């Protein structure tokens, strides 16, 4: 099944058609802007309604959706988001449940030789005064984000570098 201009859903199964329990199918999407994907799918994030989704460069995402309409999870997630020029964000892993968001393990890697190019200048201006944003190059952030529940999360194998400065470690609320 193809979603015009967004992606595709591969044939899968539904164990109970009346309740939509036992969903199991592959999804894939790719396009020119992640912000456009969010708009086309009509996704709403109640806690973030006042924060605009940035218009980015090209994206691709794929994974296996499993569960039910009330408790959908994703496994085998592979995502790539590119910005202008040499900036990219790669994600891989799983999300146990989207509603509520929990059971997530996501490996991430953000790289840029020219920071500030991940989102367009117009999108950046929505959040910040562009003249006040100045980041040294190159920039990189990587690690593993784990979230058992909305109250319990951690980032392990964390590494960041900005210019000649480096930071390594783990992040967890106390």
């Amino acid at each position: 099944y193809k979603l015009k201009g967004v992606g595709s859903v591969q044939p899968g199964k539904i164990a109970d058609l009346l309740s939509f329990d036992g969903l199991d199918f592959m999804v894939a999407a790719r396009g020119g802007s992640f912000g456009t994907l969010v708009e086309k799918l009509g996704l709403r994030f109640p806690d973030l309604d006042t924060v605009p989704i940035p218009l980015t460069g090209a994206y691709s995402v794929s994974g296996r959706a499993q569960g039910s309409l009330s408790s959908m999870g994703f496994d085998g997630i592979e995502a790539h988001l590119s910005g202008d020029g040499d900036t990219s964000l790669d994600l891989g892993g799983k999300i146990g449940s989207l509603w509520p968001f929990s059971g997530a393990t996501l490996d991430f890697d953000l790289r840029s030789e020219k920071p500030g190019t991940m989102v367009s200048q117009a999108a950046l201006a929505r959040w910040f005064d562009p003249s006040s944003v100045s980041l040294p190059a190159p920039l990189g952030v990587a690690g593993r984000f784990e979230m058992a529940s909305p109250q319990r999360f951690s980032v392990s194998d964390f590494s960041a570098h900005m210019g000649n400065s480096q930071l390594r470690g783990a992040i967890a609320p106390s």
Side-chain angles (χ1 to χ4, degrees):
Y1 179 75
K2 296 224 182 256
L3 303 171
K4 187 176 181 184
V6 175
S8 63
V9 176
Q10 300 298 316
K13 68 177 186 174
I14 301 174
D16 186 340
L17 191 57
L18 295 176
S19 67
F20 277 89
D21 281 341
L23 297 172
D24 187 354
F25 55 92
M26 299 297 292
V27 294
R30 69 179 51 234
S33 171
F34 185 72
T36 302
L37 171 67
V38 170
E39 289 173 11
K40 283 186 177 188
L41 293 177
L43 297 177
R44 305 278 301 162
F45 302 96
D47 295 340
L48 300 174
D49 273 349
T50 59
V51 179
I53 301 295
L55 297 175
T56 64
Y59 70 89
S60 65
V61 62
S62 63
R64 181 178 188 173
Q66 296 176 300
S68 66
L69 288 181
S70 62
S71 181
M72 180 70 65
F74 287 90
D75 197 13
I77 296 170
E78 291 184 19
H80 177 79
L81 178 67
S82 62
D84 298 334
D86 62 355
T87 303
S88 67
L89 172 64
D90 291 299
L91 293 172
K94 68 176 185 146
I95 299 172
S97 175
L98 286 177
W99 307 280
F101 188 79
S102 64
T105 301
L106 295 170
D107 294 318
F108 61 91
D109 188 2
L110 169 67
R111 300 278 170 219
S112 180
E113 292 300 314
K114 296 180 236 172
T117 61
M118 190 64 181
V119 295
S120 69
Q121 289 299 321
L124 192 61
R126 290 175 169 177
W127 291 334
F128 307 105
D129 171 7
S131 64
S132 69
V133 178
S134 175
L135 297 173
L139 170 69
V141 179
R144 171 171 279 183
F145 174 80
E146 296 179 276
M147 180 179 229
S149 70
Q151 295 79 25
R152 292 182 45 223
F153 71 91
S154 65
V155 177
S156 59
D157 300 326
F158 179 78
S159 67
H161 71 269
M162 188 180 296
N164 293 325
S165 301
Q166 293 189 8
L167 175 66
R168 295 187 185 280
I171 302 169
S174 53

